[in-house]
Amino acid sequence: MKNKNIDSLVRGNILGLEPYSTARDEFQGGELCVFLDANESPYQNGVNRYPDPHQKALKARISQIKKTPADTIFLGNGSDEAIDLVFRVFCVPGKDNVVAISPSYGMYSVAANTNDIELRSVALGPDWELPADEILASIDSNTKAIFLCSPNNPSGNAFEPAQMLQLAEKFNGIVVVDEAYIDFSGKESLIGNIQEYNNVIVLQTLSKAWGMAGMRIGMAFACPRIIQLMSMVKYPYNINVLAQQKALELLQKDEPYISEIISQRAVLAGELEQKPFVKKVWPSDANFLLARVADANGLYDFLTQRGIIVRNRHKVKGCENCLRITVGTTEENNRLLQALQDYEKTYNR
Ligand SMILES: *Cc1c(COP(=O)(O)O)cnc(C)c1O
């Protein structure tokens, strides 16, 4: 069954919640109104008024870009807020659990722990394949959500949409698909499937391809009921005035530099594969590469001493001796390649 009873999955206290009603909820008004309702300062400085709690203008633009109605869009203070809200809306602390793939993004387990929710990890296959059967085998009647990440951080691969949708169909709970890196992938987003599969929440962000990591705007796409629940629980003014304005301005053009990053990714992967100390470079659907090297800690230290910072994933289960390298500008990548050439000399000796 594709259509689930969403309300039956929601925490009882949230279903009965009376959300905070802001002054601007009750009356929007126009330019000519006198606003004496919110105890703001009347003296204009660009930020003296509270932001729109519903982010209407920004959602209208994102609705155009993503070709999905505004009532299927939630905006948060980074995707991290949306991840946290999944727990707060659906998971009863100390009782419910969620399932996540491993290795994957660290915020799922941080949010699970802060909400006192058990997180069950299911390991990906040797080349990071989605273990759909193992995931289904690990759920029980208290499992409220499955967290998938596609393209996955740190492995870089995207899963087959059909495989993720099949999981959503079989699971009577929420399936979160984190698509932070989808713009760098050849695979389709699942945004087009949220009407049919009402238990799927797709996460995207302005932090990666859109180049707005400093702004902290994450997006969740889901059926209107889920969006309504998340909006009810969020802080009313979770996206500030400056971020809403600047995002709207930067969203007037297309995502910048995607083709540059994708072509540089191929160059970098090709160069890395030539190195005798590089054991494996996995194919990537994202703006980073995961490489297994002979000695991740040693290479990490060598690069750091030269002012080149990569992500050492050696301590992550399944990622032993792996470094995750973000694709930079051509100049930045060349600096990395020069340093790797120097490392090779010390390595051969
Ligand atoms: C970078 C990243 C995000 C983005 O988080 P924001 O809070 O929106 O900046 C989300 N998910 C994954 C897997 C990421 O790697």
Side-chain angles (χ1 to χ4, degrees), residues 76-83 104-108 148-154 178-181 203-208 212-214 216-219 287-288 324:
N77 184 7
S79 314
D80 296 344
E81 183 182 3
I83 292 166
S104 194
Y105 189 43
M107 274 310 291
Y108 314 136
L148 306 177
C149 183
S150 176
N152 186 42
N153 177 5
D178 188 341
E179 295 185 341
Y181 302 97
L203 302 182
Q204 291 191 11
T205 179
L206 299 186
S207 296
K208 305 286 157 64
M212 305 185 214
R216 310 307 305 132
I217 297 185
M219 306 174 278
N287 65 339
F288 58 81
R324 192 193 69 194

Side-chain angles (χ1 to χ4, degrees), residues 184 209 254-263:
F184 304 105
D254 289 341
E255 294 104 314
Y257 304 117
I258 290 189
S259 56
E260 284 85 343
I261 299 277
I262 291 175
S263 63

Side-chain angles (χ1 to χ4, degrees), residues 75-136:
L75 301 181
N77 184 7
S79 314
D80 296 344
E81 183 182 3
I83 292 166
D84 186 54
L85 280 170
V86 170
F87 286 96
R88 293 171 63 203
V89 168
F90 295 103
C91 303
V92 178
K95 177 173 171 242
D96 288 336
N97 67 74
V98 300
V99 175
I101 54 174
S102 169
S104 194
Y105 189 43
M107 274 310 291
Y108 314 136
S109 73
V110 171
N113 289 335
T114 55
N115 286 287
D116 193 16
I117 299 297
E118 178 198 351
L119 182 136
R120 302 176 174 183
S121 280
V122 178
L124 297 175
D127 280 311
W128 317 123
E129 300 88 347
L130 187 68
D133 292 338
E134 284 93 327
I135 289 173
L136 288 171

Side-chain angles (χ1 to χ4, degrees), residues 7 25 37 48 53 74 112 119 131 144 148 165 215 233 237 239 263 285 291 296 332 340 343:
D7 280 18
D25 270 329
D37 58 344
N48 60 309
F74 169 87
L119 182 136
K144 287 296 181 68
L148 306 177
L165 292 173
M215 199 116 67
V233 175
Y237 301 117
I239 314 268
S263 63
D285 281 290
E332 290 172 327
L340 292 177
Y343 180 78

Side-chain angles (χ1 to χ4, degrees), residues 293-301 312-314 319-323:
V293 299
D295 171 20
N297 290 341
L299 179 53
Y300 176 81
D301 289 342
N312 187 355
R313 300 281 73 186
H314 178 60
C319 294
E320 292 74 21
N321 275 319
C322 288
L323 297 179

Side-chain angles (χ1 to χ4, degrees), residues 154-286:
S155 59
N157 60 314
F159 305 118
E160 282 304 327
Q163 211 188 356
M164 294 187 281
L165 292 173
Q166 212 171 54
L167 257 182
E169 196 170 337
K170 289 180 180 162
F171 174 51
N172 186 36
I174 301 296
V175 176
V176 177
V177 182
D178 188 341
E179 295 185 341
Y181 302 97
I182 193 72
D183 300 294
F184 304 105
S185 169
K187 296 239 165 57
E188 280 283 311
S189 165
L190 294 192
I191 289 181
N193 303 94
I194 56 174
Q195 303 279 3
E196 198 182 348
Y197 295 79
N198 72 341
N199 59 335
V200 171
I201 301 178
V202 174
L203 302 182
Q204 291 191 11
T205 179
L206 299 186
S207 296
K208 305 286 157 64
W210 282 101
M212 305 185 214
M215 199 116 67
R216 310 307 305 132
I217 297 185
M219 306 174 278
F221 303 92
C223 72
R225 179 57 181 154
I226 290 180
I227 297 304
Q228 195 179 40
L229 288 160
M230 291 174 72
S231 306
M232 206 164 78
V233 175
K234 79 175 177 74
Y235 292 153
Y237 301 117
N238 61 332
I239 314 268
N240 70 65
V241 167
L242 300 177
Q244 290 193 41
Q245 282 170 356
K246 188 70 183 175
L248 200 52
E249 178 196 322
L250 293 177
L251 286 172
Q252 293 314 310
K253 301 200 194 96
D254 289 341
E255 294 104 314
Y257 304 117
I258 290 189
S259 56
E260 284 85 343
I261 299 277
I262 291 175
S263 63
Q264 276 296 303
R265 179 178 76 196
V267 172
L268 205 53
E271 294 282 346
L272 285 171
E273 276 163 358
Q274 312 277 316
K275 301 291 174 203
F277 53 85
V278 174
K279 303 301 166 199
K280 178 148 192 166
V281 182
W282 279 277
S284 173
D285 281 290

